[in-house]
PDB file of all heavy atoms in Angstrom:
ATOM      1  N   THR A 146      52.916  25.727 -37.978  1.00 95.00           N
ATOM      2  CA  THR A 146      52.655  26.712 -39.014  1.00 95.00           C
ATOM      3  C   THR A 146      52.536  28.091 -38.376  1.00 95.00           C
ATOM      4  O   THR A 146      51.976  28.235 -37.292  1.00 95.00           O
ATOM      5  CB  THR A 146      51.340  26.363 -39.742  1.00 95.00           C
ATOM      6  OG1 THR A 146      51.451  25.035 -40.256  1.00 95.00           O
ATOM      7  CG2 THR A 146      51.070  27.318 -40.879  1.00 95.00           C
ATOM      8  N   ALA A 147      53.066  29.110 -39.050  1.00 93.00           N
ATOM      9  CA  ALA A 147      52.966  30.478 -38.541  1.00 93.00           C
ATOM     10  C   ALA A 147      51.497  30.854 -38.370  1.00 93.00           C
ATOM     11  O   ALA A 147      50.670  30.439 -39.165  1.00 93.00           O
ATOM     12  CB  ALA A 147      53.646  31.441 -39.506  1.00 93.00           C
ATOM     13  N   PRO A 148      51.165  31.564 -37.330  1.00 95.00           N
ATOM     14  CA  PRO A 148      52.018  32.216 -36.351  1.00 95.00           C
ATOM     15  C   PRO A 148      52.325  31.365 -35.116  1.00 95.00           C
ATOM     16  O   PRO A 148      52.967  31.840 -34.189  1.00 95.00           O
ATOM     17  CB  PRO A 148      51.219  33.449 -35.953  1.00 95.00           C
ATOM     18  CG  PRO A 148      49.794  33.005 -36.050  1.00 95.00           C
ATOM     19  CD  PRO A 148      49.765  32.033 -37.211  1.00 95.00           C
ATOM     20  N   ALA A 149      51.934  30.100 -35.106  1.00 96.00           N
ATOM     21  CA  ALA A 149      52.180  29.237 -33.943  1.00 96.00           C
ATOM     22  C   ALA A 149      53.637  28.787 -33.847  1.00 96.00           C
ATOM     23  O   ALA A 149      54.039  28.238 -32.837  1.00 96.00           O
ATOM     24  CB  ALA A 149      51.264  28.013 -33.988  1.00 96.00           C
ATOM     25  N   ASP A 150      54.449  29.052 -34.870  1.00 97.00           N
ATOM     26  CA  ASP A 150      55.850  28.631 -34.845  1.00 97.00           C
ATOM     27  C   ASP A 150      56.693  29.453 -33.887  1.00 97.00           C
ATOM     28  O   ASP A 150      57.722  28.994 -33.397  1.00 97.00           O
ATOM     29  CB  ASP A 150      56.454  28.657 -36.247  1.00 97.00           C
ATOM     30  CG  ASP A 150      56.396  30.031 -36.907  1.00 97.00           C
ATOM     31  OD1 ASP A 150      55.658  30.919 -36.426  1.00 97.00           O
ATOM     32  OD2 ASP A 150      57.089  30.206 -37.927  1.00 97.00           O
ATOM     33  N   PHE A 151      56.264  30.684 -33.582  1.00 98.00           N
ATOM     34  CA  PHE A 151      57.003  31.551 -32.668  1.00 98.00           C
ATOM     35  C   PHE A 151      55.974  32.406 -31.949  1.00 98.00           C
ATOM     36  O   PHE A 151      55.415  33.333 -32.532  1.00 98.00           O
ATOM     37  CB  PHE A 151      57.976  32.418 -33.451  1.00 98.00           C
ATOM     38  CG  PHE A 151      59.079  33.038 -32.648  1.00 98.00           C
ATOM     39  CD1 PHE A 151      60.343  33.165 -33.188  1.00 98.00           C
ATOM     40  CD2 PHE A 151      58.888  33.509 -31.361  1.00 98.00           C
ATOM     41  CE1 PHE A 151      61.381  33.744 -32.488  1.00 98.00           C
ATOM     42  CE2 PHE A 151      59.911  34.083 -30.633  1.00 98.00           C
ATOM     43  CZ  PHE A 151      61.173  34.199 -31.208  1.00 98.00           C
ATOM     44  N   VAL A 152      55.711  32.074 -30.696  1.00 97.00           N
ATOM     45  CA  VAL A 152      54.670  32.776 -29.947  1.00 97.00           C
ATOM     46  C   VAL A 152      55.291  33.621 -28.844  1.00 97.00           C
ATOM     47  O   VAL A 152      56.417  33.381 -28.405  1.00 97.00           O
ATOM     48  CB  VAL A 152      53.642  31.787 -29.338  1.00 97.00           C
ATOM     49  CG1 VAL A 152      52.919  31.012 -30.421  1.00 97.00           C
ATOM     50  CG2 VAL A 152      54.302  30.854 -28.340  1.00 97.00           C
ATOM     51  N   ASP A 153      54.548  34.614 -28.399  1.00 96.00           N
ATOM     52  CA  ASP A 153      54.973  35.401 -27.249  1.00 96.00           C
ATOM     53  C   ASP A 153      54.918  34.517 -26.010  1.00 96.00           C
ATOM     54  O   ASP A 153      54.131  33.569 -25.927  1.00 96.00           O
ATOM     55  CB  ASP A 153      54.067  36.619 -27.071  1.00 96.00           C
ATOM     56  CG  ASP A 153      54.234  37.629 -28.195  1.00 96.00           C
ATOM     57  OD1 ASP A 153      55.338  37.698 -28.781  1.00 96.00           O
ATOM     58  OD2 ASP A 153      53.256  38.337 -28.496  1.00 96.00           O
ATOM     59  N   LEU A 154      55.740  34.845 -25.042  1.00 95.00           N
ATOM     60  CA  LEU A 154      55.870  34.047 -23.827  1.00 95.00           C
ATOM     61  C   LEU A 154      54.520  33.801 -23.149  1.00 95.00           C
ATOM     62  O   LEU A 154      54.240  32.698 -22.687  1.00 95.00           O
ATOM     63  CB  LEU A 154      56.841  34.751 -22.871  1.00 95.00           C
ATOM     64  CG  LEU A 154      57.306  33.994 -21.647  1.00 95.00           C
ATOM     65  CD1 LEU A 154      57.990  32.684 -22.034  1.00 95.00           C
ATOM     66  CD2 LEU A 154      58.242  34.854 -20.831  1.00 95.00           C
ATOM     67  N   GLU A 155      53.666  34.800 -23.144  1.00 95.00           N
ATOM     68  CA  GLU A 155      52.366  34.688 -22.479  1.00 95.00           C
ATOM     69  C   GLU A 155      51.453  33.684 -23.190  1.00 95.00           C
ATOM     70  O   GLU A 155      50.519  33.160 -22.597  1.00 95.00           O
ATOM     71  CB  GLU A 155      51.659  36.043 -22.431  1.00 95.00           C
ATOM     72  CG  GLU A 155      52.425  37.136 -21.722  1.00 95.00           C
ATOM     73  CD  GLU A 155      53.543  37.734 -22.586  1.00 95.00           C
ATOM     74  OE1 GLU A 155      53.398  37.825 -23.821  1.00 95.00           O
ATOM     75  OE2 GLU A 155      54.583  38.087 -22.006  1.00 95.00           O
ATOM     76  N   GLN A 156      51.705  33.418 -24.454  1.00 96.00           N
ATOM     77  CA  GLN A 156      50.864  32.517 -25.235  1.00 96.00           C
ATOM     78  C   GLN A 156      51.426  31.104 -25.325  1.00 96.00           C
ATOM     79  O   GLN A 156      50.765  30.213 -25.851  1.00 96.00           O
ATOM     80  CB  GLN A 156      50.680  33.071 -26.650  1.00 96.00           C
ATOM     81  CG  GLN A 156      50.012  34.410 -26.677  1.00 96.00           C
ATOM     82  CD  GLN A 156      50.153  35.080 -28.030  1.00 96.00           C
ATOM     83  OE1 GLN A 156      51.114  34.864 -28.763  1.00 96.00           O
ATOM     84  NE2 GLN A 156      49.178  35.913 -28.369  1.00 96.00           N
ATOM     85  N   GLY A 157      52.642  30.901 -24.837  1.00 96.00           N
ATOM     86  CA  GLY A 157      53.300  29.607 -24.965  1.00 96.00           C
ATOM     87  C   GLY A 157      52.729  28.554 -24.023  1.00 96.00           C
ATOM     88  O   GLY A 157      52.184  28.869 -22.968  1.00 96.00           O
ATOM     89  N   ASP A 158      52.854  27.312 -24.427  1.00 96.00           N
ATOM     90  CA  ASP A 158      52.423  26.182 -23.603  1.00 96.00           C
ATOM     91  C   ASP A 158      53.492  25.854 -22.575  1.00 96.00           C
ATOM     92  O   ASP A 158      54.690  25.851 -22.875  1.00 96.00           O
ATOM     93  CB  ASP A 158      52.200  24.937 -24.469  1.00 96.00           C
ATOM     94  CG  ASP A 158      51.063  25.117 -25.454  1.00 96.00           C
ATOM     95  OD1 ASP A 158      50.101  25.848 -25.130  1.00 96.00           O
ATOM     96  OD2 ASP A 158      51.140  24.531 -26.555  1.00 96.00           O
ATOM     97  N   THR A 159      53.058  25.536 -21.355  1.00 96.00           N
ATOM     98  CA  THR A 159      53.973  25.097 -20.313  1.00 96.00           C
ATOM     99  C   THR A 159      54.443  23.684 -20.629  1.00 96.00           C
ATOM    100  O   THR A 159      53.666  22.844 -21.056  1.00 96.00           O
ATOM    101  CB  THR A 159      53.274  25.119 -18.929  1.00 96.00           C
ATOM    102  OG1 THR A 159      52.848  26.461 -18.670  1.00 96.00           O
ATOM    103  CG2 THR A 159      54.198  24.665 -17.831  1.00 96.00           C
ATOM    104  N   VAL A 160      55.732  23.447 -20.423  1.00 97.00           N
ATOM    105  CA  VAL A 160      56.325  22.132 -20.657  1.00 97.00           C
ATOM    106  C   VAL A 160      56.931  21.664 -19.343  1.00 97.00           C
ATOM    107  O   VAL A 160      57.774  22.351 -18.760  1.00 97.00           O
ATOM    108  CB  VAL A 160      57.397  22.189 -21.770  1.00 97.00           C
ATOM    109  CG1 VAL A 160      58.028  20.825 -21.976  1.00 97.00           C
ATOM    110  CG2 VAL A 160      56.802  22.724 -23.064  1.00 97.00           C
ATOM    111  N   GLN A 161      56.515  20.513 -18.875  1.00 95.00           N
ATOM    112  CA  GLN A 161      56.958  19.990 -17.579  1.00 95.00           C
ATOM    113  C   GLN A 161      58.363  19.390 -17.670  1.00 95.00           C
ATOM    114  O   GLN A 161      58.709  18.739 -18.650  1.00 95.00           O
ATOM    115  CB  GLN A 161      55.986  18.917 -17.086  1.00 95.00           C
ATOM    116  CG  GLN A 161      54.571  19.410 -16.872  1.00 95.00           C
ATOM    117  CD  GLN A 161      54.497  20.522 -15.845  1.00 95.00           C
ATOM    118  OE1 GLN A 161      55.158  20.494 -14.815  1.00 95.00           O
ATOM    119  NE2 GLN A 161      53.690  21.527 -16.133  1.00 95.00           N
ATOM    120  N   CYS A 162      59.152  19.608 -16.632  1.00 94.00           N
ATOM    121  CA  CYS A 162      60.461  18.972 -16.527  1.00 94.00           C
ATOM    122  C   CYS A 162      60.262  17.460 -16.514  1.00 94.00           C
ATOM    123  O   CYS A 162      59.328  16.958 -15.894  1.00 94.00           O
ATOM    124  CB  CYS A 162      61.156  19.408 -15.250  1.00 94.00           C
ATOM    125  SG  CYS A 162      61.383  21.178 -15.144  1.00 94.00           S
ATOM    126  N   GLY A 163      61.107  16.737 -17.206  1.00 95.00           N
ATOM    127  CA  GLY A 163      61.005  15.290 -17.279  1.00 95.00           C
ATOM    128  C   GLY A 163      60.075  14.786 -18.361  1.00 95.00           C
ATOM    129  O   GLY A 163      60.069  13.605 -18.679  1.00 95.00           O
ATOM    130  N   SER A 164      59.268  15.674 -18.933  1.00 97.00           N
ATOM    131  CA  SER A 164      58.393  15.262 -20.033  1.00 97.00           C
ATOM    132  C   SER A 164      59.221  15.177 -21.310  1.00 97.00           C
ATOM    133  O   SER A 164      60.400  15.528 -21.341  1.00 97.00           O
ATOM    134  CB  SER A 164      57.224  16.235 -20.199  1.00 97.00           C
ATOM    135  OG  SER A 164      57.691  17.499 -20.624  1.00 97.00           O
TER     136      SER A 164
END
Side-chain angles (χ1 to χ4, degrees):
T146 303
D150 59 345
F151 198 143
V152 298
D153 292 332
L154 190 58
E155 301 78 34
Q156 299 166 331
D158 295 328
T159 300
V160 179
Q161 299 300 319
C162 301
S164 66

